[in-house]
Amino acid sequence: MKKLLVYALIVFGLGLVFMLCKWPGGNVMTITGGSVLLFWMVFFIIGKIVNNNS
Protein backbone atom coordinates (compact mmCIF):
# COMPACT_ATOMS: atom_id res chain seq x y z
CA MET A 1 0.00 0.00 0.00
CA LYS A 2 2.92 2.35 0.59
CA LYS A 3 4.07 1.92 -3.02
CA LEU A 4 0.56 2.67 -4.22
CA LEU A 5 0.50 5.86 -2.14
CA VAL A 6 3.89 7.00 -3.43
CA TYR A 7 3.02 6.34 -7.06
CA ALA A 8 -0.35 8.06 -6.71
CA LEU A 9 1.26 11.14 -5.16
CA ILE A 10 3.88 11.26 -7.92
CA VAL A 11 1.26 11.00 -10.68
CA PHE A 12 -0.99 13.56 -8.97
CA GLY A 13 1.90 16.00 -8.49
CA LEU A 14 3.08 15.63 -12.08
CA GLY A 15 -0.48 16.11 -13.27
CA LEU A 16 -0.69 19.39 -11.37
CA VAL A 17 2.61 20.53 -12.88
CA PHE A 18 1.38 19.59 -16.36
CA MET A 19 -1.86 21.50 -15.79
CA LEU A 20 -0.04 24.60 -14.55
CA CYS A 21 2.33 24.55 -17.53
CA LYS A 22 -0.60 23.89 -19.92
CA TRP A 23 1.00 20.71 -21.24
CA PRO A 24 -1.23 17.95 -22.64
CA GLY A 25 -2.21 15.09 -20.35
CA GLY A 26 -2.42 17.07 -17.12
CA ASN A 27 -6.14 16.45 -16.61
CA VAL A 28 -5.80 12.70 -17.10
CA MET A 29 -2.84 12.45 -14.73
CA THR A 30 -4.54 14.55 -12.04
CA ILE A 31 -7.79 12.59 -12.23
CA THR A 32 -5.96 9.25 -12.21
CA GLY A 33 -3.70 10.20 -9.31
CA GLY A 34 -6.60 11.63 -7.31
CA SER A 35 -8.72 8.56 -7.92
CA VAL A 36 -5.96 6.24 -6.75
CA LEU A 37 -5.45 8.43 -3.67
CA LEU A 38 -9.16 8.13 -2.84
CA PHE A 39 -8.97 4.36 -3.39
CA TRP A 40 -5.95 4.19 -1.05
CA MET A 41 -7.67 6.34 1.58
CA VAL A 42 -10.76 4.07 1.65
CA PHE A 43 -8.64 0.98 2.23
CA PHE A 44 -6.49 2.80 4.81
CA ILE A 45 -9.59 3.80 6.80
CA ILE A 46 -11.05 0.29 6.56
CA GLY A 47 -7.74 -1.14 7.79
CA LYS A 48 -7.67 1.25 10.75
CA ILE A 49 -11.25 0.35 11.71
CA VAL A 50 -10.59 -3.39 11.47
CA ASN A 51 -7.35 -3.23 13.45
CA ASN A 52 -8.82 -1.06 16.23
CA ASN A 53 -11.72 -3.44 16.83
CA SER A 54 -9.51 -6.53 17.21
Side-chain angles (χ1 to χ4, degrees):
M1 290 303 282
K2 287 183 181 180
K3 283 186 180 181
L4 183 65
L5 175 63
V6 170
Y7 291 145
L9 287 173
I10 290 170
V11 170
F12 187 74
L14 282 175
L16 288 176
V17 170
F18 273 51
M19 284 179 63
L20 289 174
C21 293
K22 309 258 191 247
W23 293 338
N27 281 339
V28 174
M29 291 173 68
T30 305
I31 291 170
T32 304
S35 300
V36 174
L37 284 172
L38 287 174
F39 177 76
W40 178 85
M41 186 171 57
V42 166
F43 278 98
F44 180 77
I45 291 171
I46 290 172
K48 287 292 184 183
I49 291 170
V50 169
N51 286 337
N52 285 339
N53 289 336
S54 297

